[in-house]
Structures are given as structure tokens and as C-alpha cells.
Amino acid sequence: MTTRAIAPGSVLGIVGGGQLGRMIALAAANHGLKVHVYAPDADSPAFDVAARTTCAAYDDEAALAAFAASVDVVTYEFENIPRATAEVLARHAPLHPNADALATTQDRLSEKEFINRLGIPTAPFQAVDTPDDLARALDVIGLPAVLKTRRFGYDGKGQRMIREPFEGDRNAIFAEFGGAPLILEGFVPFEREVSVVAARAADGSFAAFDLCENEHRNHTLAFTRVPAQGVSPETAEEAIRIARSIADALDYVGVLAVEMFLVREGGERLVVNEIAPRVHNSGHWTIEGALSSQFEQHVRAVCGWPLGSAARTGGLPCEMENLIGDQVDAWRDLLAEPGAHLHLYGKGESRPGRKMGHVTRLKV
Amino acid sequence: MTTRAIAPGSVLGIVGGGQLGRMIALAAANHGLKVHVYAPDADSPAFDVAARTTCAAYDDEAALAAFAASVDVVTYEFENIPRATAEVLARHAPLHPNADALATTQDRLSEKEFINRLGIPTAPFQAVDTPDDLARALDVIGLPAVLKTRRFGYDGKGQRMIREPFEGDRNAIFAEFGGAPLILEGFVPFEREVSVVAARAADGSFAAFDLCENEHRNHTLAFTRVPAQGVSPETAEEAIRIARSIADALDYVGVLAVEMFLVREGGERLVVNEIAPRVHNSGHWTIEGALSSQFEQHVRAVCGWPLGSAARTGGLPCEMENLIGDQVDAWRDLLAEPGAHLHLYGKGESRPGRKMGHVTRLKV
């Protein structure tokens, strides 16, 4: 289906029902759109704020087709949608970001090959499909290195650090991953982790939020601080150039995030870690911290509307803290904290590691 | 039902499905609440963002009881709920604001008597129940005067200015209003219209937004500007004291608005026009213009949570413009205007006089 601007009152379809879909839905409602959410879990947080819902599996072609036929444009909140699903959707409604962008970024191997082809540095990497591949890859990459599943990894799931030669049995390591296609990546000795969250519209216009600095704990984002500290203006500009060249090459429409390592050794430079073809946790601060939030920008882009301003609210620095697992139990204290903006995702149960909400603080 | 704090994940019931209910629902979702909206119209804008909906009449006692029994706390988006409806609701769930506040403010006569009892000035007024009452009231009040229905008026509906003695036939004038109980109010020679939008919590804590200046066109709010211009700091403080004493006297929980006239003759002073026991159009600027929006404050208050900060974002002046009728057709230009925050209510049809959305501009 071809791209065209849709009017307020139209229906935005969102595939995926987690907090990202929920926050896209809230932004869409604010602009007078009706939202139809497709997700397999009956208790999906995004269902609670949608005009219409479809509860069905991601491989239910009939349900996908009916869903896409009922909406004016489709987007998604996560990158682990099977390509076949994306293609079914795209036959019935304009799909943004496009299926190629999804396919390129949902596999760590094709993603890194794509990034390198643009002349943008990543960690060194080797495909690993067999235990013998692992031996060869370790020879090429050296140590330390990180063995990862090529697909469906998030928040540190599906990865293993290898620090010592011959650590464990190669066959056993390989078996741990269940025979899934793997990638071995050289470890990047980074000083800090940064990300660019940016929107690109169908006409090629582009609006990046200021460079974010991300602090992870237990492989999960804990804090985002904006603007990133200890980064030269030239490097911050380079980060945004990198994100734009990636978005342009993907003919991307919507919000994307590019996670990067800031490396100090050999001169301050950036190494791209991964691309998220969607709104991103490191962009949650934009709800209060920027003139147009990442969710609004995503809605604007996928609807064919002009992008809004990505400038920071009042030019203020900003910090976003994730509320993970039982951290959400502090909700009452956070509500009482002057100037703290609390967001809760309406998830029933706070399991360890589960993102339950976040809090944003503008530094006045 | 007694008041207690409810936890995120609880269900907030909202009676009324217009844009105010919709924006309360969006704020509630942002804090992890589930929303159940009760409204008689199937195409109510608030239905599109609610986890659960009941489409039934305001006098359907069985539906009201089932609705209230299914939620943890009930609030409403407009003051024209029959007292009987409020009492049915309050038997099954905590109702905020309370039924007495509703009854006092939904009748212009009881409202003005209540305000005067607090020592707060209003326009002079007389009850008018018969054509003879009208003659007597005109003698007492003088001209010009405004004849209004005591209940169910909004946006200038149900009122008529009387400028000349014996203008028209008194019986005919009375008949125009269909025999409804009326009130005759003396015309206040005001310089400008201002309002206080404020939240009061069950513990008596109170947070007022800065004084708003309101410009009406065709009896409908067109612009709100904050802070109000041409008002001395003492008068602005007095406005907030007035709002607080009204809220305290009503044992009010939630957001209320107090509309006032600023009168210059005889020294700068305030005359209360009316009380809205709900979130208010003159508070829409707070979504971006204040640290906690009026909708968030209302949710906080009715849930028994601490109130947030009502300070203006970055201390910036702010302007809200209503999009009425076909003004909404400018949506594309407004989306392209740098820094303009567009809100659309998802209403299908833009009829003349219908509030379709609003746009907020922070004055940087």
C-alpha cells in the first residue's frame, strides 16, 4: 500500500500491546486518532487505551489481514515481528516503518552488515551457525567477545560474554542457545553508552532529540540522561549524522533509536551497537522533556504529518529513571516528589526485571 | 462510601464521555489506572481511550449501580448530572467531587447564595419562578440584567440579556425558557474575565494554577492566557483565596474552576461569576504549561494521592486557543507550526460552536 497523509479521525493500527504501544496510543488519541491494537495477550497494557483491540497470535494470517484492512495505517511497537507478519500487514494497509527496515534490523548479522556498508563502525563480528564456526570466529575476533542470538534478543537476554580461551565446551555453549543462529561480537571497551532517538518523515525530513546517555543495570536500561555528558559537540553531531544516514538508507518512516558506544581509546569516537526500529526506552524522557515526544513524533511520521520540534523543554537537562520490578512500589513517594513526572504502564504484576513504569525529572 | 487512597491498577469511573472525560482518562492511564467511562452516547470521545465503557442513560439506575460497583472511585466530567444519579453512584463507590458540591453548583441560585454566605461577592441576583417574579426582580436588580435558567446552562445557552425596560412581553420572555426556574442577575461591568483552576485533596491540601485570563467569543471560551494581564499581584492572590475558601466550604475533592469578573470601577476587585465542579476549559493549557496538568491533579485528588506541582513549565507564559467548529480544519497548519501543541478530541463531525480541539502555545 502506498503512503499518504491520513486525517485526524482515522484509525492507527498498532501491532504489539506493551508499554510502547500504550504510549503511542495515548499520543495518537491526543491527536484525535482512533487506535486499534493487535496483540496476543489479553492483558496487554495498550488494550486499555485503545478504541478497538484484536487479541490474536502474530502468525494468525486471517486475523492480521482483518486487522490491517480495518485501519488506515499500521505501525508496530517492537522489532520481533516475523517478516511474514509484516508482509501480510503491508498488503492491506501502509506499514511504517517498512518491512525491509524491520527485516534488516531484527537480525544482528544483517543489521551490522548494513551499518558497515554505510561506512559506519560497529564492533567486529562473525556469523556463528555451528560449533566449528564459533572456534573460527573466536580466532578472528579475539577475547573478550560476546556471543549473541541473531534474533529476538532484548535486555541482555540471549547473550553470553566469553572472557577466557576455551571457556567451557564449545558444543555445550552452542547448545545453550538451542541451535539458534548466533553472532560473535568483539567486546567494545566503551566509556559510556549513548543513543540517538530521532524521527524521519516520508518526505525525508528528520528531527533528532538531543544525544541521550544511558546507564544499564543487569543488562536493562536504568537511567537516561540528556544531554549526554563528556561528549564533545562534534561527536554529538556525528551521532546524529549516523542516525540520519541509517534512517535515510532504510527509507525509514517513524521514530528509530540508534544505540552507540562512546569509545575514548584512539580518540573520541562512536561505535554503533544496534538499531531499534521503533520508539525506544531511552526516548521516554521526551514526554515532558521535549516539545514533541517521541510518541507524538512517531504518530506524526506514520500519519504523513509534519514532524514537530525535538527541542528540549525550556532547554532543560532531563533524567529518566526506569521503574523495574518492585521499584514501582515507590509510586506513592514518587507522586509526592515535587516536579517528578511518574508514568505507570498498568501492568498487573511486578515481576523482577519487568519494566513497570518510569519517572522523568527536568533539572530546573 | 468513604474515601481511601486507591493504588495504580485500580479502576477509575468517569461519568460523561466528552473531551473532558477523555483527557481525564488519558491522565489516568498515564498513572497506570484502568478507566471505565459511563455515557449515554455510543460515539462518546472518551470511550475511545477507556478500558471499559457503559453506554446508558444518566437516569438508568440499574446501569449506574452496576457501573459504580465495578469501579474503585467515581468522578464526573460535567456538572449537569442529576442529584439522584450522583446519589446512586455514591452508594456504590466513593464519589469525588461529592454530591453536595454538585447540587450546590449546578443551580445558579443555590450557587450564588452559597458564595455570598462565604462573604464572596457575586452579581446581584433574584430568583424568578413566575412572570410576576420577573417584574419584581427587574425592579430590584435594575438594568442591564441577564435572565438565565438556573440549571443546565453552558456556553451562553439558556440566557438572555435585558437592556431596556419592558423589553418584549414578560410572559413571552418567560415562556421562551419553557417554564424552567430562572434567575435574574445584574450585569457586571467587567474589564476582563479571569478564572482560577485549582485542585483540593481530601486532606485539605490545595494547589492552584496561576490566574487565567479568558476571552470569550459568541459566549464560548476562545482563548485562555496565563498569567492574566493587568491584574495586581494582590488581586491574583485574592482570586486564589476565594477559590480555596469555596473548595474548603464544599469539602471539595478534585479540580474545580471558579470564573470571576475583574471589575475596575470602585477599585480593582473580583466578582465571582460561577463555579465549575470539574476540570475546565480554561485549564487545558496546563497539559504542557504546568508541571502537573489539571487532569493529572484531578486524578491525583480523586484517588487520594498527593497533589503535584501547579507551577508553570519553565515559568513561561502560555496561551490556549480553542478550535471551535471548522477552526479544526486548520489542523495541518497547526501541526506544522513550531512549538504549537495540538490536541484533537476525536469528534466525528465539526458542527458550528462545537469544541473540536485546542492548541497550546508556550511563549518562549
Side-chain angles (χ1 to χ4, degrees), chain B residues 220 322-330 349-357:
Chain B
T220 303
N322 267 340
L323 300 176
I324 296 169
D326 61 12
Q327 284 184 283
V328 75
D329 296 344
E349 194 190 351
S350 72
R351 295 192 292 270
R354 193 176 199 201
K355 292 174 179 172
M356 302 300 295

Side-chain angles (χ1 to χ4, degrees), chain B residues 264-351:
Chain B
R264 188 71 61 192
E265 285 160 30
E268 183 177 296
R269 64 198 168 88
L270 296 164
V271 172
V272 170
N273 181 30
E274 62 182 53
I275 302 165
R278 53 168 169 82
V279 292
H280 192 256
N281 197 166
S282 72
H284 289 359
W285 64 273
T286 60
I287 297 175
E288 292 87 12
L291 293 187
S292 308
S293 78
Q294 66 166 343
F295 304 103
E296 175 176 340
Q297 294 287 62
H298 189 71
V299 169
R300 284 170 173 260
V302 303
C303 290
W305 299 345
L307 300 179
S309 167
R312 270 182 287 125
T313 305
L316 296 171
C318 190
E319 180 182 275
M320 187 284 308
E321 178 181 8
N322 267 340
L323 300 176
I324 296 169
D326 61 12
Q327 284 184 283
V328 75
D329 296 344
W331 63 269
R332 196 182 297 264
D333 292 338
L334 292 167
L335 280 171
E337 182 188 320
H341 297 282
L342 178 65
H343 299 260
L344 299 174
Y345 305 148
K347 297 182 181 179
E349 194 190 351
S350 72
R351 295 192 292 270

Side-chain angles (χ1 to χ4, degrees), chain A residues 5-8 22 26 29-34 48-51 291 300 305-306 313 331-332 335-336 339 341-344 346, chain B residues 5-8 22 26 29-34 48-51 291 300 305-306 313 331-332 335-336 340-344 346:
Chain A
I6 67 170
R22 181 176 168 108
L26 293 173
N30 195 41
H31 282 75
L33 295 164
K34 293 187 191 293
D48 286 347
V49 296
L291 292 187
R300 283 171 174 260
W305 300 344
T313 305
W331 63 270
R332 195 182 298 264
L335 280 171
H341 297 283
L342 179 64
H343 299 261
L344 299 173
Chain B
I6 68 169
R22 182 176 168 107
L26 292 173
N30 195 40
H31 282 76
L33 294 163
K34 291 186 193 293
D48 285 346
V49 296
L291 293 187
R300 284 170 173 260
W305 299 345
T313 305
W331 63 269
R332 196 182 297 264
L335 280 171
H341 297 282
L342 178 65
H343 299 260
L344 299 174

Side-chain angles (χ1 to χ4, degrees), chain A residues 168-183:
Chain A
D169 173 75
R170 287 201 306 273
N171 288 303
I173 290 173
F174 198 81
E176 269 178 30
F177 288 92
L182 304 178
I183 185 172

Side-chain angles (χ1 to χ4, degrees), chain B residues 182-204:
Chain B
L182 304 177
I183 184 172
L184 187 75
E185 300 179 4
F187 178 78
V188 177
F190 61 88
E191 178 187 284
R192 53 188 88 211
E193 295 175 89
V194 297
S195 61
V196 175
V197 179
R200 184 177 182 275
D203 66 0

Side-chain angles (χ1 to χ4, degrees), chain B residues 59-326:
Chain B
D59 59 1
D60 182 338
E61 291 211 6
L64 289 165
F67 162 74
S70 78
V71 305
D72 296 292
V73 60
V74 183
T75 189
Y76 45 88
E77 61 140 27
F78 72 124
E79 62 271 44
N80 292 327
I81 296 177
R83 181 169 187 126
T85 297
E87 287 171 352
V88 172
L89 295 169
R91 277 200 293 277
H92 297 277
L95 175 71
H96 300 299
N98 64 68
D100 284 344
L102 191 62
T104 301
T105 57
Q106 72 187 187
D107 181 299
R108 293 182 192 281
L109 182 65
S110 64
E111 182 181 58
K112 284 195 163 55
E113 288 170 344
F114 161 76
I115 295 167
N116 286 176
R117 278 199 303 275
L118 296 175
I120 297 166
T122 62
F125 61 91
Q126 291 284 310
V128 173
D129 291 320
T130 67
D132 286 348
D133 284 349
L134 179 55
R136 277 191 295 271
L138 282 166
D139 283 346
V140 175
I141 301 294
L143 291 175
V146 191
L147 189 63
K148 301 179 177 178
T149 53
R150 278 160 54 179
R151 299 163 62 91
F152 305 127
Y154 69 99
D155 288 354
K157 292 178 179 65
Q159 22 188 307
R160 179 193 171 124
M161 180 78 112
I162 304 181
R163 296 179 189 280
E164 304 291 334
F166 309 113
E167 181 189 6
D169 173 75
R170 285 203 307 273
N171 289 303
I173 290 173
F174 199 79
E176 268 177 33
F177 288 92
L182 304 177
I183 184 172
L184 187 75
E185 300 179 4
F187 178 78
V188 177
F190 61 88
E191 178 187 284
R192 53 188 88 211
E193 295 175 89
V194 297
S195 61
V196 175
V197 179
R200 184 177 182 275
D203 66 0
S205 58
F206 183 83
F209 297 104
D210 285 339
L211 188 65
C212 310
E213 181 173 346
N214 301 317
E215 182 184 335
H216 289 79
R217 294 186 183 170
N218 301 319
H219 296 285
T220 303
L221 183 66
F223 292 94
T224 295
R225 298 181 184 92
V226 187
Q229 296 299 295
V231 181
S232 69
E234 294 72 23
T235 300
E237 281 172 30
E238 173 65 10
I240 288 168
R241 268 196 301 274
I242 287 172
R244 184 164 195 167
S245 73
I246 288 170
D248 285 344
L250 293 169
D251 195 18
Y252 197 89
V253 173
V255 163
L256 88 172
V258 183
E259 296 183 47
M260 307 178 195
F261 299 121
L262 182 80
V263 179
R264 188 71 61 192
E265 285 160 30
E268 183 177 296
R269 64 198 168 88
L270 296 164
V271 172
V272 170
N273 181 30
E274 62 182 53
I275 302 165
R278 53 168 169 82
V279 292
H280 192 256
N281 197 166
S282 72
H284 289 359
W285 64 273
T286 60
I287 297 175
E288 292 87 12
L291 293 187
S292 308
S293 78
Q294 66 166 343
F295 304 103
E296 175 176 340
Q297 294 287 62
H298 189 71
V299 169
R300 284 170 173 260
V302 303
C303 290
W305 299 345
L307 300 179
S309 167
R312 270 182 287 125
T313 305
L316 296 171
C318 190
E319 180 182 275
M320 187 284 308
E321 178 181 8
N322 267 340
L323 300 176
I324 296 169
D326 61 12

